[in-house]
């Protein structure tokens, strides 16, 4: 594992940022401040709702080198009552005994923020803790007693010397400046420029966004009412929540993404490289060709009666035809709803029943890695279900994906199904544009919430267009000629905003990859980077961690010389993965944009603007133009300066979702009722002294597995559908690769014995009901669940048990039966 290599990283480290003028951290002047490190975390710890916080202290000695060394001896002598020893932080102190206690800044507020490495007393023995879990050790003897550590710490700590000196790497105080070369051509090359634009964007958002909107084609300009181009109410106390941008303006996002470039003479420029699951399967699509394909699908949809405002469900693999289908809907003003082609028939049926499409577009099958997925049979079963429950889909268009499965092997419903290849290519390759209002719906995308029913997030046209294009351009410093690869699937919001609309609106060339990053081997991504000379690569921390596991060699085997910019999305990226991505993948040359945003926000909210300011590994840095974040405490009071709490947004931005389809009341209660006057994101966040934002993960009952949001209630509902499962409670727990894993406590029906067979059956039930990506990692048999006297399950306790933080269960006296907890702990390893 590269993170365990000995020696101090080449990272510039500045332990005392506010004293240090050099952002490269080379001049550690004076002693490190204790102020920041003795801070206690108030309400902003991990699992903000319930968890206990630890405050701590640190003593530093600052050598003149670029690292901050902490002497264990000095540290222990200055220990305060609130400090933790290394023994304590290793959850019981069995690794190094008290004699080597290290006081360090242990602020339990982030999920991924810690890795520790230190030498055992004998030189050469090295143990590694990363993300709170033991990874490897040269000497196993020392490690047998320490299995798991739940560490939500701030820093990367490396003890590299057998002489008892620990070297602390502190992500929060590590600044990575863009290179001079990067800055020279950057669109926004300085902090001053970013600051000036940001100030303007929040002072006069209408003027700011109108200026940018004017760069797009509008059939008719938007109205200005009382001098305003947008209206908003984010305060539920003042009436219904409402957001509108550029209302009255007539435009079309497909026209802006394709026709505009073709009309500007770019028909033969490449819009998309498609790379199939199997190496060697690929195609290249120009803007001219893409427009033709889109027009044909648009004409077909019209021919089967799809009109402006009608919903179309798309359940397809990552073929070129998937973004084509989305753009075709947009062209005719239909509302697309893409369902990730990993969802089960039940989940698909649920979505179909909610938005009632006339047409479903799909493919007969797809190879994912070495595995065949028979999509058509899933669709058949979903369509049968939805028909039974009152909505019959009239037309199902099936793309014959012969690489995966043969036409003859595809089940068929005569009066409903048509082959894509039979009906689409016959259509005319020109199609009229439907001019729509800026506030007409563009798409619906279902996402998990904390109740069982998925939420249909609704985005409209004009604001979404302007905002996704602008965020794409600036967060990736997009310049003509860049080749941009986003590994996301169009089934998720990233595939909408940053594989399809954002890049194409900028006329960018995108790479669309059908496969998985590790197939046929861990070098696939870098092979693709070299093949297409990718300059901007955007992926998720879970992919980075799984590639990191394969070591540096598969990366280094490929040149990657074309890369100039990297991106990360979907969950907090731990500093160790950040560092690997930066140093190994990007050869310490490419800035990383860690983009925080959500299905609901439509576009990036907190993100680096890479030429403008230095990065900190693991921080999403600063708000994008027009975004006004607020960190609030549990009472909804906005916190100032350095703080931790709940992340909210104070005012609207153009691509904000406008409602939850068919349920405006749920929209208001979920997002605007918890903290009055604010949009509540559901995430925890820390803001450091320099104003950098550090996302800490979900604080609600949503679990983020490999960057996919899964509601614990959805998994629970699936589990209890098994006839032998009486009750289930599901929580997330830290997972090395996936970010979070799914941990399910299940109570069986009276008289049923827990068995391995049943465990497998329960997991299979969830795979079947929701999809394979939602399968629980751990099933924990629970004869009883910890409940309050009013019957509410205390998830806080379950989270602690799942995380092995048995000694931090807190007060269990309010439980109806406190004995249940003991019982669960006993059964943990059974
Ligand atoms: C998480 C994905 C930390 C967060 C675009 C959010 C992140 C949820 C980041 C939204 C990031 C996304 N750093 N956390 N850079 N990006 N998240 O709707 O918890 O699928 O609330 O949108 O992912 O997930 P969604």
């Amino acid at each position: 594992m590269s993170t365990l290599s000995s020696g101090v990283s080449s990272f510039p480290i500045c332990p005392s940022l506010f004293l240090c003028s050099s952002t490269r951290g080379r001049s550690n002047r004076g002693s490190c401040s204790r102020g920041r490190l003795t801070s206690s975390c108030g309400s902003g710890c991990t699992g903000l709702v319930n968890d206990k916080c630890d405050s701590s202290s640190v003593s530093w000695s600052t050598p003149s080198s670029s690292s901050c060394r902490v002497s264990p001896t000095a540290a222990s002598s200055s220990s305060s009552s609130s400090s933790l020893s290394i023994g304590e932080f290793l959850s019981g102190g069995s690794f190094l005994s008290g004699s080597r206690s290290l006081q360090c800044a242990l602020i339990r507020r982030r999920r991924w923020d810690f890795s520790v490495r230190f030498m055992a007393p004998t030189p050469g023995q090295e143990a590694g803790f990363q993300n709170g879990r033991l990874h490897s050790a040269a000497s196993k003897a020392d490690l047998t007693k320490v299995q798991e550590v739940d560490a939500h710490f701030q820093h990367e700590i490396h003890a590299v010397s057998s002489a008892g000196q620990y070297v602390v790497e502190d992500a929060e105080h590590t600044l990575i400046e863009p290179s001079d070369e990067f800055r020279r051509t950057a669109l926004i090359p300085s902090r001053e420029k970013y600051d000036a634009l940001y100030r303007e964007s929040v002072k006069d958002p209408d003027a700011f966004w109108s200026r940018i909107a004017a760069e797009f084609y509008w059939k008719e300009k938007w109205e200005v009412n009382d001098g305003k181009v947008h209206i908003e109410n984010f305060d539920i106390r003042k009436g219904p929540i409402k957001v509108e941008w550029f209302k009255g303006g007539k435009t079309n996002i497909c026209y802006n993404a394709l026709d505009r470039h073709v009309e500007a003479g770019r028909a033969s420029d490449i819009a998309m490289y498609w790379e199939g699951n199997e190496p060697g399967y690929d195609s290249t699509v120009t803007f001219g060709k893409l427009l033709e394909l889109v027009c044909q699908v648009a004409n077909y949809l019209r021919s089967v009666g799809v009109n402006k405002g009608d919903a179309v469900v798309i359940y397809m693999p990552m073929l070129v035809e998937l973004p084509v289908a989305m753009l075709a809907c947009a062209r005719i003003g239909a509302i697309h709803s893409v369902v990730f082609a990993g969802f089960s028939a039940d989940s698909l049926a649920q979505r179909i029943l909610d938005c009632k499409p006339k047409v479903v577009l799909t493919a007969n099958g797809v190879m994912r890695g070495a595995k065949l997925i028979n999509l058509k049979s899933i669709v058949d079963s979903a369509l049968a279900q939805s028909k039974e429950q009152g909505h019959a889909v009239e037309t199902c268009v099936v793309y014959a994906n012969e690489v995966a499965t043969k036409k003859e092997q595809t089940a068929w419903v005569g009066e409903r199904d048509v082959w894509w290849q039979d009906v689409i290519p016959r259509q005319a390759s020109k199609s009229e544009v439907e001019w729509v209002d800026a506030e007409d719906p563009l798409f619906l995308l279902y996402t998990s919430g904390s109740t069982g029913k998925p939420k249909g997030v609704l985005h409209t046209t004009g604001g979404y267009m302007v905002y996704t294009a602008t965020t794409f351009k600036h967060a990736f410093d997009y310049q003509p000629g860049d080749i941009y690869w986003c590994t996301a699937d169009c089934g998720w919001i990233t595939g909408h905003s940053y594989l399809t609309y954002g890049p194409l609106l900028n006329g960018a060339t995108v790479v669309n990859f059908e496969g998985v990053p590790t197939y046929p081997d861990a070098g696939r991504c870098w092979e693709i980077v070299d093949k297409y000379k990718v300059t901007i690569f955007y992926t998720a921390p879970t992919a980075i961690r799984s590639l990191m596991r394969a070591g540096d060699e598969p990366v280094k085997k490929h040149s990657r010389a074309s890369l100039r910019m990297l991106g990360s999305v979907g969950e907090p990226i731990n500093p160790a993965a950040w560092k690997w991505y930066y140093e190994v993948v990007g050869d310490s040359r490419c800035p990383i944009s860690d983009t925080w945003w959500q299905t609901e926000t439509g576009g990036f909210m907190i993100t680096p603007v890479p030429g403008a300011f230095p990065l900190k590994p693991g921080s999403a840095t600063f708000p994008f133009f027009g975004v006004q974040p607020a960190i609030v405490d549990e009472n909804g009071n906005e916190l100032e300066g350095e703080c931790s709490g709940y992340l909210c947004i104070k005012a609207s931005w153009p691509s904000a979702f406008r409602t939850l389809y068919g349920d405006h009341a749920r929209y208001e209660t979920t997002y605007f009722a918890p903290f009055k006057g604010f949009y509540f994101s559901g995430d925890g966040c820390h803001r450091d002294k320099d104003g950098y934002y550090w996302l800490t993960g979900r604080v609600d009952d949503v679990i983020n597995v490999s960057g996919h949001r899964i509601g614990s209630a959805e998994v629970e509902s699936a589990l209890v559908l098994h006839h032998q499962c009486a009750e289930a409670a599901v929580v997330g727990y830290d997972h090395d690769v996936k970010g979070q894993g799914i941990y399910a406590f299940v109570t069986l029906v009276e008289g049923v014995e827990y068995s391995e067979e049943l465990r497998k059956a329960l997991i299979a039930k969830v795979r079947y009901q929701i999809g394979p990506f939602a399968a629980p990692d751990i099933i924990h048999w629970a004869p009883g669940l910890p409940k309050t006297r009013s019957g509410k399950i205390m998830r806080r306790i379950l989270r602690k048990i799942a995380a092995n933080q048995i000694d931090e269960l807190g007060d269990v006296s309010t439980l109806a039966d406190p004995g249940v907890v003991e019982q669960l702990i006993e059964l943990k390893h059974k």
Side-chain angles (χ1 to χ4, degrees), residues 404-710:
T405 181
K406 297 275 165 271
K407 269 170 122 173
E408 314 73 84
Q409 287 157 351
T410 309
W412 211 246
V413 177
E415 67 284 5
R416 187 197 65 198
D417 300 346
V418 287
W419 288 111
W420 179 293
Q421 285 90 337
D422 286 348
V423 296
I424 305 287
R426 307 203 200 117
Q427 300 291 326
S429 56
K430 286 205 169 16
S431 138
E432 237 177 77
V433 172
E434 180 84 37
W435 300 106
V436 300
D437 193 282
E439 280 303 328
D440 278 336
L442 173 62
F443 68 86
L444 263 179
L445 186 59
Y446 288 89
T447 189
S448 293
S450 40
T451 67
K453 191 172 176 270
K455 302 179 283 194
V457 169
L458 184 98
H459 282 284
T460 56
T461 305
Y464 177 85
M465 172 173 84
V466 171
Y467 194 80
T468 52
T470 312
T471 43
F472 171 79
K473 181 170 162 185
H474 290 299
F476 295 128
D477 189 50
Y478 170 75
Q479 320 241 350
D482 270 324
I483 309 289
Y484 165 78
W485 178 18
C486 165
T487 65
D489 190 292
C490 286
W492 309 105
I493 189 67
T494 309
H496 285 62
S497 304
Y498 299 107
L499 190 130
T500 308
Y501 293 114
L504 292 177
L505 286 164
N506 280 282
T509 303
V510 300
V511 176
N512 171 357
F513 176 43
E514 186 194 24
V516 293
T518 46
Y519 179 82
D521 57 51
R524 183 72 189 274
C525 284
W526 324 121
E527 190 185 310
I528 296 174
V529 163
D530 285 355
K531 177 172 173 182
Y532 298 109
K533 304 274 173 289
V534 170
T535 56
I536 307 170
F537 177 65
Y538 186 39
T539 195
T542 184
I544 298 165
R545 287 191 296 266
S546 74
L547 293 169
M548 185 172 155
R549 275 191 157 185
D552 300 358
E553 200 256 326
V555 187
K556 298 225 156 124
K557 224 163 66 186
H558 298 91
S559 143
R560 293 159 288 112
S562 55
L563 287 176
R564 66 176 198 90
M565 190 60 235
L566 300 170
S568 170
V569 62
E571 51 169 312
I573 177 165
N574 50 306
W578 197 102
K579 192 174 114 180
W580 185 83
Y581 197 28
Y582 182 77
E583 289 182 345
V584 180
V585 175
D587 285 328
S588 304
R589 175 185 74 236
C590 312
I592 299 176
S593 275
D594 175 6
T595 58
W596 176 81
W597 61 297
Q598 309 177 293
T599 305
E600 292 86 343
T601 70
F604 302 154
M605 299 296 283
I606 301 183
T607 175
V609 172
F613 42 74
L615 305 169
K616 293 191 184 188
S619 165
T621 69
F622 297 108
F624 192 72
F625 305 131
V627 175
Q628 299 183 55
I631 298 182
V632 303
D633 67 14
E634 59 274 25
N635 300 317
N637 301 315
E638 185 175 354
L639 305 170
E640 298 295 332
E642 188 188 16
C643 60
S644 296
Y646 301 91
L647 180 59
C648 293
I649 310 289
K650 287 197 246 188
S652 92
W653 61 100
S655 72
F657 67 140
R658 305 303 199 240
T659 191
L660 291 179
Y661 184 65
D663 203 348
H664 200 71
R666 189 178 180 197
Y667 168 75
E668 293 181 335
T669 48
T670 309
Y671 300 101
F672 296 93
F675 302 111
K676 307 283 181 301
F678 299 107
Y679 162 77
F680 174 45
S681 67
D683 279 325
C685 187
H686 166 67
R687 185 170 50 216
D688 71 19
K689 270 207 164 59
D690 309 309
Y692 282 70
Y693 287 81
W694 301 77
L695 277 303
T696 58
R698 302 290 307 191
V699 292
D700 52 12
D701 288 330
V702 172
I703 307 172
N704 191 332
V705 181
S706 298
H708 300 156
R709 279 163 66 169
I710 297 167

Side-chain angles (χ1 to χ4, degrees), residues 737-752:
V737 175
K738 297 199 269 187
Q740 280 193 293
I742 298 180
Y743 196 113
F745 293 85
V746 295
T747 306
L748 302 178
V749 165
E750 200 66 37
V752 174

